[in-house]
Amino acid sequence: MAIRILTVEDDERIRTSVRLALEDEGWEVDEAPTGEEALAAFRRAPADVVLVDIMLPGMSGFDLCRNLRRFSDVPIVVVTARSDTHDVVAGLEAGADDYLTKPFAPKELSARIRALLRRARPSAGGHSLLVFGDLEIVPDEGRVTLAGRELSLTKTEFRLLCELAQDPGGVFSREVLLDRVWGYGYFGDGRLVDVHVRRLRTKVEVDPAHPRHIVTVRGLGYRLQP
Amino acid sequence: MTSLDPVRGASRRRIGTIARAVRRVAARVDPRRVGVRNRILVTFLGGSFVLGLVATLTTYGVTRTRLVEQQEEVAVERAVLAARRAGAELAVSPSDLAGAVARAGGAPRVVVAPWSTASSSGLVGTDDVPAALLERVHVGRVAASMVAPFGEGQAVVVGVPLATSGASYFEFSSLDGVNSSLDSLRTSLAFSLAITAAVGAILAMSASRGAVRPLSNAAQAARAIADGRLDTRLEATDDPDLRALTSAFNDMARSLQDRVDRDVRFASNVSHELRSPLMTLAASVEVMQSRRDELPERSRAALDLLAGDVDRFRRLVEDLLEISRYDAGAVRLLREPLLLTEFVRQAVAASSLPATPVAESGDVASMVVHGDRRRLARVVANLIDNARVHGGGRPAVTVQPADGEPPTHAQIVVTDEGDGLIEGEAAGIFERFSRGGTAGRRAKQDGAGLGLALALEHVALHGGRIWAANRTDGIRGARFVVELPIEVRSAAYHGDER
């Protein structure tokens, strides 16, 4: 089955040119000019990746991300105007998996989409069940339970958790996590890791302010407590 | 009529000398360079000192005259009585001058008769009587008195002509008591003059400070505006003299801020507006590039030109956006501890000449810079771009500690093998759209001229410096140095909390 990308962008010319470029990658592309139409289109035919411009008329890109997250774990890439504003963190906190800054080269976009698609299918890692106290991970089935209750993680959150679980107690630097989960090199944005850890904590921790499972190691990175 | 006259002449000469010296100094001092504050200080201080001095001298003079007069009155009264006694004695025995002197009693005294003189002791004689007084009393037969030197000090000399026998009586009444009173008066007056001057100095300082404060406030505010804090304003005041300054200053600051805001907004809006068409261009060119092989040769050449310039345009707009963020003061660094050598290697690897050699000089292996990874990488990339375009295309990078023991800064040095810098070009090269090379030898460059300006902004925001010079190692070429503050090693484990 062909991979479907949903592009949400109010500028028709950009939308069309991006569609042409993505179709050259062999992907099917759906387009939506507003957040409302994007939600409707996604419900009609779920996409494998959603590309969301933050500056949308009507429902904002942030709200669209939050709405999508209510019922889907689809990988979302947000397009922001600037990389150093609050937009990036806000977009990631609204549920986005990655971001791009306008104007980006379509090559960058397809590289990001490929990394997300790779990530959306985590490798088994050789373990069928990983147990951390009340937290249980079943990598093959993509399932995580906390005290027996099933958690709904996005694909990126799940992949991040699985990477941390590869070496329980071992410290993972931001660089390593950016490389393994997002496919970024040295110049990846560490905020991707930080916000995803924060999001993951709200799901797998009883008290996210005092995490017991995913622990910060000052100046070094993160560790999954065995 | 007193012996003070010559002394007064000497002091007048001294005052003249001082006045001339002051005039000479004053002539050499430019009042504009002395400063308002010092002028107020000097005027106040000088005024209070002169007033104090006048008051002191007047007090002293009046008191002195009064005391001497009193002493003189007493002396005259006493001398008249004594002369009466001496006259009575002479009337009884006209030749017994010594007897008359003895009968007069009290103060040192002399009786002068046409035929002889007699005195109360060997310490006093006719010589002690001033000639003028002797003339007036003995010859003119008029009672008179005057102040004259006597012994070690001064005395009031009173002369009374005796009715009988044509003799005259002179009595000396010492002024030592008066002089010692005047001594203590002088001391206390000098003391109070000193206090007046000190109080004057304190008042002068506070007055000058008060007068200059609005000026220094205005200067401070102007400096703040020059430093980019355009929202600086002077506090409103009720002082009518200052209100004009305050409101004019604030109006100026406001219009300056409006104008800068407008310019910044314009640059930012233009860049933002350019991004949407750029996105379309970039995506469309890429679609065409993937079909490059299907195109005829001429179209292919045109497409290559288009693709190259779309990419250049994109970088220019990104740079413009970034620099307008600097102008708006809206840049926020995403700082994190970076192991310097690793960072430089990665930044070079991501640049347009990834094979550029990176050398380490000195103990830099453990140096950590607290910086914005991607912005600092842009600095390195821009310097390498600059070397690629202008510097002969063979740059080399060295990471080294800056001077200082222990070093507080590290340097990233990018050298090239180009033609080097023309004299006077080194500073201007960091200006926006600086094309460098006035001789046009850089005319072929493809850079937009924002790379080095942006590098300067990035480095400055990191608290560092960047400069360019010609190489000094004997090879022709330029040398760009980025100097960044380094962290103390243990600090690498802090400041990473996000």
Side-chain angles (χ1 to χ4, degrees):
Chain A
M1 201 176 85
I3 284 165
R4 296 172 63 86
I5 319 277
L6 174 59
T7 309
V8 192
E9 160 71 59
D10 60 321
D11 186 325
E12 192 200 333
R13 305 166 76 86
I14 295 179
R15 219 165 54 223
T16 309
S17 62
V18 167
R19 174 171 60 78
L20 289 172
L22 293 180
E23 280 173 351
D24 272 1
E25 300 284 340
W27 297 323
E28 266 179 38
V29 181
D30 283 341
E31 297 172 29
T34 64
E36 291 81 354
E37 285 179 53
L39 274 177
F42 190 85
R43 282 183 205 277
R44 257 197 324 273
D48 296 289
V49 176
V50 182
L51 180 68
V52 177
D53 191 280
I54 290 294
M55 306 267 273
L56 287 175
M59 181 193 288
S60 76
F62 301 122
D63 287 337
L64 175 58
C65 290
R66 273 189 283 271
N67 277 311
L68 281 171
R69 279 287 167 257
R70 289 210 181 107
F71 60 91
S72 173
D73 60 0
V74 63
I76 302 174
V77 181
V78 288
V79 177
T80 68
R82 288 167 50 178
S83 63
D84 66 346
T85 49
H86 190 62
D87 281 6
V88 171
V89 172
L92 294 172
E93 277 174 346
D97 297 78
D98 205 343
Y99 75 93
L100 280 170
T101 315
K102 235 183 196 174
F104 54 84
K107 278 197 289 280
E108 278 176 65
L109 173 61
S110 35
R112 292 290 94 225
I113 290 175
R114 259 192 288 276
L116 284 169
L117 290 171
R118 178 181 64 83
R119 196 188 321 157
R121 301 192 184 103
S123 61
H127 301 277
S128 56
L129 178 67
L130 297 154
V131 182
F132 301 90
D134 53 0
L135 184 69
E136 291 184 12
I137 307 168
V138 190
D140 288 339
E141 297 172 25
R143 282 198 315 126
V144 181
T145 58
L146 182 68
R149 187 170 50 85
E150 185 149 344
L151 301 176
S152 91
L153 300 187
T154 69
K155 292 188 163 69
T156 305
E157 288 162 0
F158 182 69
R159 180 66 182 257
L160 177 61
L161 189 59
C162 286
E163 286 299 339
L164 289 168
Q166 301 266 316
D167 178 13
V171 180
F172 290 81
S173 69
R174 285 191 185 81
E175 280 92 346
V176 166
L177 292 172
L178 275 171
D179 174 38
R180 293 202 191 155
V181 180
W182 282 268
Y184 274 114
Y186 183 79
F187 294 104
D189 188 342
R191 289 176 300 175
L192 284 173
V193 180
D194 297 327
V195 177
H196 273 82
V197 164
R198 209 144 67 214
R199 266 163 52 182
L200 203 46
R201 277 175 181 160
T202 61
K203 295 179 181 175
V204 305
E205 300 286 357
V206 179
D207 178 7
H210 302 93
R212 287 187 49 248
H213 294 300
I214 305 171
V215 181
T216 306
V217 185
R218 273 177 83 113
L220 294 178
Y222 298 101
R223 166 173 83 195
L224 187 62
Q225 204 85 326
Chain B
M1 223 158 105
T2 67
S3 64
L4 259 177
D5 282 350
V7 177
R8 213 175 262 166
S11 66
R12 206 170 286 146
R13 270 197 303 281
R14 210 174 302 146
I15 288 168
T17 315
I18 292 169
R20 269 196 301 282
V22 169
R23 266 200 297 278
R24 263 204 307 279
V25 171
R28 222 173 289 159
V29 173
D30 181 350
R32 281 165 302 184
R33 278 185 17 217
V34 171
V36 173
R37 194 168 161 172
N38 286 340
R39 263 182 288 164
I40 293 173
L41 193 75
V42 166
T43 309
F44 227 88
L45 200 58
S48 70
F49 185 76
V50 167
L51 282 179
L53 194 66
V54 167
T56 304
L57 290 179
T58 311
T59 308
Y60 181 75
V62 167
T63 311
R64 184 180 186 283
T65 310
R66 187 85 199 97
L67 281 177
V68 172
E69 271 171 13
Q70 271 174 4
Q71 180 76 11
E72 219 167 350
E73 271 169 34
V74 170
V76 166
E77 233 167 76
R78 206 174 52 197
V80 167
L81 285 175
R84 202 172 291 156
R85 281 197 296 278
E89 185 64 23
L90 272 186
V92 176
S93 47
S95 61
D96 187 9
L97 285 181
V101 166
R103 275 297 300 270
R109 53 211 179 269
V110 181
V111 173
V112 181
W115 61 94
S116 178
T117 60
S119 61
S120 57
S121 75
L123 294 173
V124 64
T126 324
D127 294 347
D128 292 319
V129 179
L133 188 68
L134 192 64
E135 170 81 18
R136 225 171 143 203
V137 177
H138 197 54
V139 180
R141 309 306 297 162
V142 183
S145 73
M146 71 184 288
V147 176
F150 177 66
E152 300 282 288
Q154 289 180 317
V156 177
V157 187
V158 184
V160 181
L162 298 182
T164 53
S165 66
S168 304
Y169 177 84
F170 295 94
E171 190 174 296
F172 293 79
S173 180
S174 170
L175 281 173
D176 286 354
V178 171
N179 280 338
S180 90
S181 300
L182 286 175
D183 276 348
S184 47
L185 179 67
R186 261 200 303 275
T187 310
S188 54
L189 282 177
F191 189 64
S192 64
L193 181 62
I195 287 176
T196 310
V199 170
I202 291 166
L203 286 177
M205 266 189 272
S206 92
S208 65
R209 205 173 299 142
V212 172
R213 194 174 300 127
L215 286 183
S216 68
N217 285 349
Q220 227 163 37
R223 205 166 301 125
I225 288 174
D227 288 346
R229 278 165 283 160
L230 293 176
D231 55 346
T232 311
R233 296 288 181 275
L234 284 180
E235 234 172 87
T237 172
D238 294 333
D239 189 325
D241 295 330
L242 295 177
R243 209 179 296 141
L245 172 69
T246 307
S247 72
F249 185 94
N250 288 346
D251 287 349
M252 178 206 70
R254 202 170 302 117
S255 77
L256 188 66
Q257 187 179 23
D258 287 350
R259 185 169 185 157
V260 168
D261 283 352
R262 216 165 37 235
D263 287 354
V264 167
R265 252 197 323 273
F266 178 73
S268 169
N269 288 345
V270 166
S271 319
H272 274 276
E273 287 304 317
L274 287 175
R275 287 183 315 170
S276 296
L278 252 179
M279 277 271 3
T280 312
L281 278 174
S284 304
V285 164
E286 207 176 292
V287 171
M288 283 167 80
Q289 272 181 311
S290 65
R291 285 162 187 76
R292 188 173 178 278
D293 295 342
E294 303 163 19
L295 295 174
E297 200 187 317
R298 290 179 68 81
S299 304
R300 225 183 289 171
L303 175 62
D304 290 348
L305 285 173
L306 186 62
D309 268 17
V310 164
D311 192 45
R312 182 169 138 188
F313 191 19
R314 192 164 72 93
R315 273 183 289 138
L316 173 60
V317 167
E318 274 171 13
D319 285 356
L320 272 174
L321 276 168
E322 181 79 347
I323 222 148
S324 66
R325 253 167 249 157
Y326 271 103
D327 290 346
V331 173
R332 271 169 299 236
L333 295 180
L334 299 171
R335 285 179 185 253
E336 56 190 319
L338 303 171
L339 204 54
L340 186 62
T341 50
E342 188 201 358
F343 161 76
V344 173
R345 282 178 204 287
Q346 295 279 4
V348 168
S351 73
S352 59
L353 294 173
T356 301
V358 178
E360 289 173 28
S361 160
D363 184 21
V364 291
S366 59
M367 281 185 177
V368 172
V369 168
H370 195 61
D372 185 316
R373 186 185 291 238
R374 284 185 283 181
R375 286 204 165 92
L376 287 181
R378 281 299 302 278
V379 173
V380 174
N382 289 356
L383 289 182
I384 286 177
D385 274 347
N386 180 67
R388 178 174 56 86
V389 178
H390 310 303
R394 287 176 58 202
V397 179
T398 309
V399 184
Q400 62 188 42
D403 293 338
E405 192 53 51
T408 54
H409 289 71
Q411 293 180 341
I412 305 167
V413 184
V414 180
T415 51
D416 63 42
E417 295 177 11
D419 293 336
L421 306 169
I422 301 169
E423 208 178 321
E425 190 188 20
I429 207 168
F430 291 102
E431 277 171 25
R432 294 171 193 187
F433 296 112
S434 151
R435 288 267 157 178
T438 44
R441 67 203 161 113
R442 292 179 170 182
K444 284 189 294 177
Q445 63 148 313
D446 67 348
L450 275 176
L452 292 180
L454 211 47
L456 176 76
E457 300 278 9
H458 285 333
V459 171
L461 202 61
H462 279 84
R465 291 193 303 143
I466 185 169
W467 68 91
N470 279 320
R471 288 174 74 155
T472 51
D473 56 0
I475 301 169
R476 198 158 78 135
R479 183 170 182 271
F480 286 77
V481 183
V482 173
E483 192 172 274
L484 294 168
I486 53 171
E487 285 198 341
V488 184
R489 206 169 303 169
S490 62
Y493 294 98
H494 306 290
D496 198 22
E497 290 292 292
R498 285 190 290 192

